[in-house]
């Protein structure tokens, strides 16, 4: 029991940290997270899927909860309150077991974090591959908007159909009209 508070704090720190990762995962990640990497303990190349890690995490936490649960022994006299209080004050997990739980929690945290990182990298790569198409689409929209604005300005300046006026004037033109102006010295200079 001499290291109980240190062991308790280590377990609480790991559980709190794992909880934070799980909350972040629940808040923003997809359900199809998969991470491929080499497992340095076994040397195997493995695939870790978030959905497969969750039962492992649940199982470990349930095991820890059962270990920490206060259970009356068959020898314990239910009328003897001192024995029950004393048992509830004893830290039921030895230091070696605490180390085992802390290592398992750290491993799960690492696997969750790695899977999330791989998913973020995959998403970023996909978004980056789509950027040229997005830029082309934005340029088309901008060009279209510019054409619409130009047409609106022209319509504002004159509500007359200038195309029709131009076609009628062109039909009335006779050969040589305005040639004197084009031949003038002022125009040639």
């Amino acid at each position: 029991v001499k290291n109980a508070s240190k062991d308790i704090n280590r377990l609480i720190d790991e559980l709190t940290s794992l909880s934070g990762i799980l909350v972040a995962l629940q808040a923003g990640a997809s359900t199809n997270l998969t991470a491929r990497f080499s497992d340095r303990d076994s040397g195997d190349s493995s695939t870790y899927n978030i959905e497969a890690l969750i039962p492992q995490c649940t199982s470990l936490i349930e095991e820890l909860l059962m270990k920490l649960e206060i259970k009356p022994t068959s020898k314990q006299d239910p009328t003897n309150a001192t024995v029950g209080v004393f048992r509830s004050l004893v830290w039921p997990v030895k230091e070696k077991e605490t180390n085992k739980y802390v290592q398992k929690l750290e491993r799960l945290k690492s696997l969750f974090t790695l899977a999330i990182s791989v998913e973020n990298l995959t998403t970023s790569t996909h978004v980056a591959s789509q950027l040229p198409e997005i830029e082309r689409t934005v340029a088309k929209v901008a060009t279209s908007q510019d054409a619409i604005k130009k047409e609106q300005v022209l319509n504002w300046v004159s509500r007359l159909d200038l195309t029709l006026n131009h076609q009628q004037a062109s039909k009335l033109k006779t050969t040589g009209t305005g040639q004197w102006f084009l031949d003038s010295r002022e125009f040639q200079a």
Side-chain angles (χ1 to χ4, degrees), residues 16 20 89-90 94 102 108 121 127 139 159 167 173 182-183:
T16 302
L89 295 176
V90 175
K94 304 290 182 226
V102 167
L108 282 169
L121 180 61
V127 168
R159 300 229 182 261
Q167 288 172 352
K173 176 185 153 200
L182 298 174
D183 293 338

Side-chain angles (χ1 to χ4, degrees), residues 120-138:
N120 287 342
L121 180 61
T122 302
T123 302
S124 297
T125 303
H126 177 71
V127 168
S129 72
Q130 299 298 315
L131 283 178
E133 180 62 29
I134 293 169
E135 288 171 347
R136 283 192 293 277
T137 303
V138 168

Side-chain angles (χ1 to χ4, degrees), residues 178-189:
Q179 191 62 43
W180 62 270
F181 177 71
L182 298 174
D183 293 338
S184 69
R185 207 178 332 174
E186 290 85 8
F187 184 75
Q188 296 291 326

Side-chain angles (χ1 to χ4, degrees), residues 70-82:
I70 300 166
K71 300 174 197 157
T73 61
S74 58
K75 296 178 184 177
Q76 183 177 337
D77 178 8
T79 58
N80 187 349
T82 346

Side-chain angles (χ1 to χ4, degrees), residues 16-100:
T16 302
S17 182
L18 179 61
S19 173
I21 291 170
L22 293 174
V23 166
L25 179 65
Q26 181 183 20
S30 71
T31 58
N32 196 15
L33 298 178
T34 302
R36 277 193 170 78
F37 56 93
S38 179
D39 186 349
R40 79 173 178 211
D41 293 337
S42 67
D44 293 339
S45 180
S46 304
T47 299
Y48 290 94
N49 185 301
I50 292 291
E51 292 171 349
L53 291 174
I54 291 174
Q56 291 177 31
C57 184
T58 303
S59 174
L60 180 63
I61 292 171
E62 286 172 350
E63 179 185 329
L64 186 56
L65 283 173
M66 286 191 327
K67 193 74 160 168
L68 296 176
E69 193 175 295
I70 300 166
K71 300 174 197 157
T73 61
S74 58
K75 296 178 184 177
Q76 183 177 337
D77 178 8
T79 58
N80 187 349
T82 346
V83 173
V85 170
F86 176 72
R87 280 192 54 77
S88 67
L89 295 176
V90 175
W91 177 244
V93 184
K94 304 290 182 226
E95 186 175 2
K96 248 184 188 178
E97 278 184 297
T98 301
N99 289 339
K100 180 185 82 168

